[in-house]
Amino acid sequence: MNRFDYARPTSVAEAVQAGAGEQVRYLAGGTNLIDLMKENVDRPMTVIDINRLPLDAIEELDGGGLRLGALVPNADTAWDARVEQRYPLLSSAILAGASPQLRNAATNGGNLNQRTRCYYFYDVATPCNKREPGSGCGAIGGVNRIHAILGASDQCIATHPSDMCVALTVLDATVQVTGREGDRAIPIADYHRLPGDEPWRDNTLKPGELVTGIDLPAEDFTQNYTYLKLRDRLSYAFALVSIAVAMRVEDGTIAEARVALGGVAHKPWRSTEAEKLLKGQQPSPQAFGAFADALLAGAAGQGENDFKITLARKAIVRALKQAAEATPQSQTDKRVA
């Protein structure tokens, strides 16, 4: 048993004050942190239980958006009537993740900050720059079937595991955080990091900062959208490749298209430049294929995961077709693979 101090603040200000020390971790649903502590991957000196904080509501924003409280369970977010009606892409992505039991416990803030499921990260007997800087990356040249094909570095080829964050990236969400220096808003595109030379840094949070909510802008992607997740089994498995698509189709022409990939990089992967190729196009395999090639430009396998490049291209074309035809992938009908 690794000894640690435990605090249970009742206000955000108190939590932030307590979170200013060394090796401090915030505890919400615990579906990731507890696993990491059990495996000796994370050995915090202080655990701050934030479950008493007033961050467990979904609230209306001026202009028609929503603020998702950081402590709202994933299940409550997915099944909230406002999310289902106004952001069905997000609801679909959340329901594609984990299992019902985990979605009942996991929180929005925790989902945002969950760590990679790389085998080497979880195995303390193996080298991992993310877990132990400077020790090397066991996945490079090792067992790397689930690893990154985009945005990787010679320090780390891990992938980000979240489904929710892929949809949030397409929806241009904003993460609300607070710390000892005050409040700030971080666009979701700038929240997670590529590994570079500092793979141990998953996001752009400053030490001690706490996520308080996630803001969704008012958008109308209620017709032409889809979340397609390809994995080794239908339930309780992380994505080999996932695709979130939000599209507007007017008079048979694509007026706007946003696409993000999951399971392929250290963060959700999106290219606004590549998306310009779809604007003004009629939905077609040719247009979708050209976009897929642009989005996957620079993709490189590590041996066992070479198949992901071909898989991703086919999946992008399939997901764009689903969105254009307003036939989104079902996440609740178990007959759908």
Side-chain angles (χ1 to χ4, degrees), residues 15-327:
V16 169
Q17 185 67 30
E22 294 289 331
Q23 286 295 99
V24 177
R25 299 291 182 267
Y26 291 117
L27 173 67
T31 58
N32 189 202
L33 177 61
I34 300 303
D35 282 347
L36 295 173
M37 292 173 67
K38 286 179 178 179
E39 298 293 335
N40 279 320
V41 175
D42 201 345
R43 302 178 65 175
M45 297 176 63
T46 303
V47 174
I48 303 173
D49 185 340
I50 60 173
N51 284 290
R52 291 185 178 181
L53 304 187
L55 304 174
D56 58 351
I58 297 177
E59 303 172 318
E60 295 283 347
L61 293 174
D62 293 341
L66 288 179
R67 173 165 294 173
L68 311 176
L71 291 178
V72 178
N74 286 172
D76 289 2
T77 301
W79 295 115
D80 183 276
R82 293 163 294 179
V83 174
E84 284 189 287
Q85 293 167 12
R86 288 146 61 178
Y87 306 95
L89 172 60
L90 177 60
S91 180
S92 183
I94 293 173
L95 293 175
S99 66
Q101 293 89 341
L102 284 170
R103 292 194 295 267
N104 286 338
T107 63
N108 292 331
N111 190 307
L112 199 70
N113 292 316
Q114 63 182 302
R115 309 210 70 189
T116 184
R117 264 49 178 199
C118 172
Y119 321 122
Y120 297 93
F121 177 68
Y122 269 83
D123 185 352
V124 296
T126 64
C128 172
N129 288 320
K130 180 178 283 292
R131 174 174 30 81
E132 186 179 350
S135 63
C137 176
I140 297 177
V143 179
N144 51 44
R145 183 173 181 271
I146 67 171
H147 288 75
I149 57 173
L150 289 162
S153 73
D154 59 3
Q155 298 290 309
C156 179
I157 59 171
T159 59
H160 193 268
S162 174
D163 292 287
M164 183 186 80
C165 291
V166 184
L168 291 177
T169 299
V170 162
L171 294 171
D172 283 340
T174 301
V175 183
Q176 300 293 333
V177 306
T178 188
R180 300 189 76 180
E181 298 177 8
D183 300 337
R184 65 187 183 116
I186 308 174
I188 188 68
D190 299 328
Y191 186 81
H192 298 103
R193 298 180 66 257
L194 293 177
D197 294 330
E198 297 179 302
W200 53 90
R201 293 182 59 209
D202 292 339
N203 53 54
T204 55
L205 285 175
K206 298 176 182 177
E209 281 190 322
L210 173 67
V211 174
T212 58
I214 302 167
D215 288 1
L216 300 174
E219 296 282 5
D220 184 14
F221 292 115
T222 57
Q223 295 296 320
N224 300 100
Y225 72 91
T226 195
Y227 187 73
L228 175 62
K229 181 177 181 178
L230 304 180
R231 42 193 160 170
D232 286 323
R233 58 184 183 274
L234 186 60
S235 178
Y236 194 43
F238 296 99
L240 293 170
V241 175
S242 65
I243 307 96
V245 180
M247 185 183 293
R248 291 191 183 91
V249 179
E250 299 174 359
D251 299 323
T253 299
I254 299 172
E256 182 180 6
R258 303 180 189 175
V259 182
L261 301 180
V264 298
H266 203 255
K267 61 181 288 186
W269 190 264
R270 182 183 174 193
S271 169
T272 54
E273 283 300 311
E275 289 169 2
K276 294 177 182 177
L277 296 176
L278 291 171
K279 188 173 183 179
Q281 297 289 320
Q282 292 186 340
S284 70
Q286 294 74 25
F288 298 159
F291 167 78
D293 291 337
L295 185 59
L296 294 171
Q302 296 287 338
E304 292 187 359
N305 70 344
D306 292 352
F307 75 97
K308 275 193 174 187
I309 300 174
T310 301
L311 181 66
R313 188 185 190 282
K314 292 181 177 180
I316 292 166
V317 173
R318 174 179 166 186
L320 286 167
K321 183 175 185 290
Q322 288 180 345
E325 295 177 351
T327 55

